[in-house]
Amino acid sequence: PARAAAALDADAAPAPPAAAAAAVENASAAELARAAEEHAPAAEEEEPAGESAPAAAASAEQPMGGQAAPAEEVLRRRNLAIIAHPDAGKTTLTEKLLLYGGAIQQAGAVRARRSSQKAATSDWMALEQERGISITSTVLTFEYAGHLINILDTPGHQDFSEDTYRTLAAADNAVMLIDAAKGLEPQTRKLFEVCQMRKLPACTFINKMDRDAKNAFELCDEIEEEYKIETYPMCWPIGDGDRFRGVYHRRENKVFLYSRAERGKKAQEMGELELDDERLPGLIGEELFNQLIEDVEIIKEIGHEFSIEKYLSGDQTPVFFGSAMNNFGVELFLKEFLTIGRPPAPRASTKDSQITPLDDCFSGFVFNSRPT
């Protein structure tokens, strides 16, 4: 199934994140051996004569009715809803994540009426492709670094926000996308409040750093003051606009430099350097280097420490900076999300007290449907 964790009623809310994470972790420890034993093949057998390799593979992938999902399969899954104000770059970010995941070979940036450019993968309706906006929610699945990821691309326009609210009921994680030049906008505020009500762990991706942007400290302060939560800049921008040179990754203490990518293609990494690498000033310029060192010292002095518990409970948001259009910081976000993101969580149900990802019976969370 597309979701390993599920509920029987559409109004069911996720279990508290801390409890959900603990339940999955306990399951992985206590039931991993049982699950592996149940699903392990009895013995290796020769392939029957006349059966092709694809047919054998398809046969092996058939679901096993009445048996629990293996714990390792649950732990490798991540469901992520992307929320944003219109034109913040939400669908573009979705496609760049698919690009890095290998699900598509070239991303089609969302630009209204640009007929010469490939239409966005997640905008499947003719009206969406014509207007360059998302009208319906779309679920896109791909694999990356051993994980199976479900991206929930949601409409940003207020006229279609009900679709977004339903989608957030099914998500285990969210990422709030912000235009670096505009900061928080009305629809972003509404949708993030829904995430807070549902206690969804949420990251923040501040987009369009390749354009003139607000001060990074100002953007973080705006989030903290608006939502009364902590921010933890996981990555920190080096310049903005034409002077944007890359990002500094705090936990790795490394600077990642990028060159501008060909439209729709992956960014070419110029390399990663330690913050104290003597080559760094020459690569980004003395002025940007001195500003980066000053910013890092300020963050260490007055910034919050990262807390996985606070993140999972929705009380802290890791912040990333980049440019979805030009692929700055997108893969760094993806890698970090897979490390800290919540796997499918147990769900409250009107029939039973709780449905866990490892329940024996098949179940599903239906959050949206459309006529065919």
Side-chain angles (χ1 to χ4, degrees), residues 304-320:
H304 303 286
E305 293 295 324
F306 178 70
S307 167
I308 189 65
E309 291 79 13
K310 288 182 178 180
Y311 164 67
L312 290 174
S313 64
D315 295 317
Q316 185 181 87
T317 178
V319 181
F320 300 81

Side-chain angles (χ1 to χ4, degrees), residues 71-340:
E72 59 266 36
E73 179 63 24
V74 173
L75 289 173
R76 82 184 191 96
R77 292 176 180 244
R78 298 290 186 274
N79 300 323
L80 176 67
I82 303 178
I83 59 173
H85 192 81
D87 301 322
K90 176 174 49 57
T91 300
T92 302
L93 175 63
T94 300
E95 294 229 319
K96 296 308 168 69
L97 291 171
L98 291 172
L99 180 67
Y100 279 108
I104 57 177
Q105 298 303 311
Q106 181 167 344
V110 182
R111 303 294 275 237
R113 299 179 181 85
R114 178 174 286 183
S115 59
S116 62
Q117 189 161 336
K118 178 180 175 290
T121 302
S122 59
D123 288 339
W124 59 276
M125 292 176 61
L127 183 59
E128 291 179 313
Q129 295 178 8
E130 177 185 344
R131 295 178 60 185
I133 61 172
S134 295
I135 293 176
T136 59
S137 294
T138 305
V139 180
L140 301 161
T141 302
F142 66 97
E143 297 211 15
Y144 180 85
H147 289 80
L148 189 144
I149 304 155
N150 293 315
I151 298 291
L152 288 77
D153 179 27
T154 60
H157 286 259
Q158 185 175 358
D159 293 347
F160 314 108
S161 58
E162 184 177 341
D163 205 43
T164 301
Y165 298 149
R166 286 197 299 266
T167 301
L168 290 175
D172 294 304
N173 305 272
V175 57
M176 174 174 61
L177 192 65
I178 296 176
D179 187 319
K182 300 176 181 178
L184 292 176
E185 298 179 87
Q187 191 67 2
T188 311
R189 288 186 167 95
K190 291 179 182 178
L191 295 175
F192 195 80
E193 287 173 1
V194 175
C195 292
Q196 286 190 299
M197 286 190 298
R198 301 192 64 81
K199 292 294 183 181
L200 276 182
C203 295
T204 298
F205 189 93
I206 298 180
N207 193 26
K208 303 184 180 181
M209 287 302 300
D210 56 318
R211 304 180 185 180
D212 291 340
K214 287 186 174 181
N215 179 273
F217 286 108
E218 182 182 346
L219 289 165
C220 290
D221 288 344
E222 190 175 357
I223 295 170
E224 294 198 357
E225 292 173 7
E226 178 75 22
Y227 301 120
K228 311 304 179 189
I229 61 174
E230 295 179 2
T231 60
Y232 178 87
M234 193 72 71
C235 294
W236 192 256
I238 303 173
D240 66 279
D242 293 337
R243 302 175 68 217
F244 185 47
R245 295 293 179 266
V247 292
Y248 164 68
H249 197 296
R250 287 181 65 190
R251 296 214 292 177
E252 295 188 19
N253 195 38
K254 290 182 179 179
V255 171
F256 291 82
L257 302 175
Y258 297 87
S259 61
R260 189 176 295 270
E262 179 185 347
R263 187 177 297 278
K265 301 292 185 181
K266 294 181 182 179
Q268 298 297 315
E269 292 192 14
M270 294 172 60
E272 55 186 78
L273 302 173
E274 299 290 338
L275 185 60
D276 58 0
D277 194 302
E278 61 183 13
R279 297 171 294 171
L280 188 57
L283 289 171
I284 66 175
E286 287 286 346
E287 183 180 350
L288 285 176
F289 175 76
N290 292 334
Q291 184 64 56
L292 174 62
I293 296 300
E294 181 179 338
D295 289 350
V296 170
E297 289 300 320
I298 293 174
I299 294 170
K300 288 181 179 179
E301 187 69 26
I302 65 174
H304 303 286
E305 293 295 324
F306 178 70
S307 167
I308 189 65
E309 291 79 13
K310 288 182 178 180
Y311 164 67
L312 290 174
S313 64
D315 295 317
Q316 185 181 87
T317 178
V319 181
F320 300 81
F321 292 82
S323 167
M325 178 68 71
N326 292 297
N327 298 308
F328 283 116
V330 175
E331 191 169 25
L332 289 176
F333 161 70
L334 177 58
K335 289 178 178 178
E336 200 65 44
F337 166 69
L338 294 179
T339 300
I340 66 175

